[in-house]
Amino acid sequence: MIFKCIYFHFSKYVVRKIENVEKKTDEVKKIDRVLIELQIQDKETNDTFHHSEYVLVDNKKRLCKPDRFQWNKTAMVYFVVTAANQVNWVLHFIRNMKRIYQETQDRNIGVVIAVYETKEKHLRQIKDELDKSSLPHYEMITLSGRYSRVQSFNAAVRVIADPHSILFLVDLHLEIASAFVDEIRKVG
């Protein structure tokens, strides 16, 4: 891995809170890779923001910034669900995703819902909920035949055009926290 050592200058900023530190050691190269997540405050404007970055600690205990080794903070993340006659859970899922979007204003999240053998009025309910959700990206796929989780996930994956997107397969009933989107990006 190529890296260069840098100095961190915090004259304009102050660290308000260390939110998370994750360390992974490469025993062969004798280098520690550390994900640091901080709450930073601009001293001039008092604005605070979240900052996440990977750094390396070399064998001389210097902090180094790795070249070409940063997590993509704007990677498109699609939450993919499947359902068969579970309109209430689908609506719950959409509302959860709507809340996440409202809290984060992250335009790089999307939803793909694959539904099997659902009544027309339920399909309308789902479509209406998606339309009023203000989610920037969503797709609903209707499938027929006997329910197959694998086939519905495969159908959902085929509608996503960008090969660099991250797909997260999720159960309908889970309550997803807003911060989880970035957690997915860090390991995606």
Side-chain angles (χ1 to χ4, degrees):
M1 179 180 308
I2 299 169
F3 62 91
K4 60 183 176 185
C5 290
I6 61 168
Y7 295 98
F8 291 93
H9 299 287
F10 290 104
S11 58
K12 183 179 176 188
Y13 303 101
V14 62
V15 176
R16 283 285 166 225
K17 180 181 176 188
I18 298 172
E19 295 179 345
N20 185 34
V21 177
E22 295 176 22
K23 176 181 155 185
K24 298 202 187 240
T25 301
D26 183 331
E27 296 295 336
V28 175
K29 296 179 182 174
K30 304 290 185 213
I31 293 175
D32 294 329
R33 183 181 75 202
V34 183
L35 175 66
I36 301 172
E37 298 181 88
L38 306 169
Q39 185 183 80
I40 305 286
Q41 184 175 21
D42 185 319
K43 290 179 182 176
E44 296 170 8
T45 65
N46 287 330
D47 292 338
T48 59
F49 57 94
H50 177 84
H51 181 75
S52 298
E53 188 161 348
Y54 280 104
V55 294
L56 301 177
V57 180
D58 68 8
N59 56 3
K60 295 179 183 173
K61 302 299 179 197
R62 293 178 298 182
L63 283 183
C64 302
K65 183 175 181 174
D67 278 352
R68 298 179 299 264
F69 186 79
Q70 295 298 315
W71 64 282
N72 185 350
K73 298 169 186 165
T74 60
M76 189 68 194
V77 176
Y78 283 97
F79 289 85
V80 180
V81 296
T82 67
N85 296 316
Q86 296 176 299
V87 68
N88 290 333
W89 282 115
V90 173
L91 297 175
H92 167 80
F93 168 75
I94 295 168
R95 291 177 189 128
N96 187 199
M97 297 309 300
K98 175 184 174 181
R99 179 190 49 74
I100 290 171
Y101 177 68
Q102 288 171 339
E103 290 174 6
T104 65
Q105 293 300 301
D106 186 341
R107 298 206 44 83
N108 294 318
I109 59 174
V111 169
V112 180
I113 301 170
V115 292
Y116 268 90
E117 300 293 336
T118 304
K119 296 177 183 173
E120 190 61 38
K121 72 176 186 173
H122 293 154
L123 290 174
R124 255 191 324 279
Q125 278 182 285
I126 294 168
K127 181 72 172 129
D128 289 345
E129 193 69 29
L130 284 167
D131 289 342
K132 72 179 185 181
S133 71
S134 71
L135 286 168
H137 308 279
Y138 62 83
E139 290 281 340
M140 183 174 69
I141 305 164
T142 56
L143 302 164
S144 59
R146 202 172 108 229
Y147 175 77
S148 167
R149 188 173 171 100
V150 171
Q151 288 178 354
S152 54
F153 279 139
N154 286 337
V157 167
R158 283 192 294 272
V159 302
I160 299 170
D162 180 6
H164 301 290
S165 294
I166 299 170
L167 310 180
F168 187 77
L169 311 178
V170 63
D171 287 332
L172 290 170
H173 67 282
L174 295 178
E175 196 69 30
I176 302 166
S178 300
F180 194 59
V181 179
D182 277 343
E183 293 300 317
I184 293 168
R185 286 184 178 120
K186 288 175 201 169
V187 296

